Amino acid sequence: MGNLAKGASSLVGSPALVAAMLSFTIAQICKVFTHYHTTGKVDWGRLVGSGGMPSSHTALVVGLTTAIGLKDALDSSIFALCLVFSLVVMYDATGVRLHAGRQAEVLNQLIVELPRDHPLTDSRPLRDSLGHTPVQVAVGALLGMVVGYAHFNIWLISQGVDL
């Protein structure tokens, strides 16, 4: 088997990568339902959009971190790297990205209030769902931990390890 083919099967068999991608996918699907719950409208764009409940980026990095912590131990350097990476992503989601989204809301409102003949009235609205509230990030983290833990245990069973 060539190195490329072996690499592709290794990626698909990686408990950390699969846990991360599964966490992200579940979070994105959940956004359709949470958006419907809060607005009463189905928005399939939430499947690929940023912002909203839960934080899919947080779910992704925490799912990865959880699976790596379980596989390689909590005292491993790779777990420490993933944990720091996860904390940076969560901080960014509730800090810079959240405030950039709030600023976009204000700018969009200002543009709406401009006189009709102003050159900016024809501009496309800025995306305002960029960041997350702390609750959205916490739910994303919880989702990532649960999916990472569950998938890792499924992976162990598939490897013939008794739990």
Side-chain angles (χ1 to χ4, degrees), residues 129-148:
S129 65
L130 299 172
H132 295 281
T133 65
V135 171
Q136 292 169 338
V137 169
V139 172
L142 183 63
L143 175 64
M145 283 188 267
V146 168
V147 172

Side-chain angles (χ1 to χ4, degrees), residues 32-86:
V32 173
F33 296 103
T34 58
H35 181 79
Y36 176 77
H37 179 71
T38 57
T39 66
K41 298 176 185 175
V42 175
D43 180 5
W44 295 109
R46 303 303 310 147
L47 286 172
V48 294
S50 61
M53 171 70 93
S55 168
S56 55
H57 292 103
T58 298
L60 175 102
V61 296
V62 172
L64 175 73
T65 301
T66 301
I68 285 179
L70 292 169
K71 185 173 186 293
D72 294 334
L74 299 179
D75 63 350
S76 68
S77 295
I78 191 69
F79 173 75
L81 175 74
C82 287
L83 181 60
V84 170
F85 175 61
S86 294

